[in-house]
């Protein structure tokens, strides 16, 4: 029924600009755990190369992109990424935020991104989202992968 689609053409275009950034961020985040070869080894086997790429990610990529997403929320001003209601972009950004907070907790805590942190809490507390997050349908983050 289009419940998660932005309402206006302008909002749809904004979503089409921001969502690829979220996707790119998640791709880089996942690829970090396989710097030697993405399909031939587990992240535990990556050794010093994983430590090097993770350090660069935390120093450069993480603050740049989280600041971008934070600014998008500030610019929109409604608490949502685009428009004045929950959209699929909000769900993607909430997933990204939870993944970063789980995998890089001290860096997440240190980042000055209040709108992004508020967004994660707000989306996570919406009744249907909160119900899903507590359900067996959701794979909880467990440290065995970036998104697990």
């Amino acid at each position: 029924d289009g419940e998660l689609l932005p309402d206006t053409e302008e909002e749809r275009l904004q979503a089409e600009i921001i969502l690829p950034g979220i996707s790119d961020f998640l791709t880089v985040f996942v690829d970090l755990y396989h710097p030697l070869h993405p399909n031939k080894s587990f992240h535990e086997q990556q050794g010093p190369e994983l430590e090097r790429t993770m350090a660069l990610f935390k120093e450069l990529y993480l603050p740049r992109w989280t600041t971008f997403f934070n600014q998008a929320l500030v610019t929109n001003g409604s608490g949502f990424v685009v428009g004045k209601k929950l959209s699929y972009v909000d769900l993607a950004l909430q997933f990204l935020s939870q993944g970063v907070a789980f995998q890089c907790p001290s860096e997440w805590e240190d980042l000055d991104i209040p709108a992004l942190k508020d967004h994660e809490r707000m989306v996570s507390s919406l009744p249907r989202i909160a119900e899903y997050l507590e359900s067996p349908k959701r794979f909880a983050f467990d440290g065995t992968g970036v998104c697990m």
Side-chain angles (χ1 to χ4, degrees), residues 78-138:
S78 70
F80 297 104
V81 181
V82 296
K84 294 182 173 140
K85 67 173 192 156
L86 183 73
S87 75
Y88 63 91
V89 184
D90 293 294
L91 298 178
L93 188 57
Q94 183 267 354
F95 176 77
L96 177 150
S97 297
Q98 282 199 330
V100 170
F102 180 81
Q103 291 295 122
C104 308
S106 62
E107 290 79 9
W108 176 257
E109 187 64 34
D110 291 343
L111 288 166
D112 184 21
I113 48 170
L116 184 56
K117 292 175 181 178
D118 288 346
H119 176 268
E120 188 282 318
R121 286 188 291 271
M122 182 268 298
V123 172
S124 294
S125 70
L126 294 171
R128 290 174 63 193
I129 304 299
E131 181 182 332
Y132 166 75
L133 292 173
E134 295 299 320
S135 78
K137 293 178 185 177
R138 184 215 188 197

Side-chain angles (χ1 to χ4, degrees), residues 9-61:
E9 183 66 19
E10 180 180 350
E11 291 169 3
R12 285 188 286 279
L13 292 173
Q14 289 171 336
E16 288 180 20
I17 291 168
I18 296 170
L19 189 63
I22 295 170
S23 179
D24 288 349
F25 182 98
L26 287 171
T27 298
V28 169
F29 202 28
V30 169
D31 288 350
L32 282 173
Y33 288 87
H34 306 283
L36 298 177
H37 193 285
N39 298 317
K40 291 192 176 180
S41 61
F42 296 102
H43 70 270
E44 296 91 358
Q45 299 168 326
Q46 301 295 314
E49 191 62 21
L50 172 61
E51 292 174 25
R52 186 187 69 74
T53 58
M54 184 58 86
L56 284 172
F57 173 82
K58 290 176 179 180
E59 178 185 345
L60 303 173
Y61 207 81

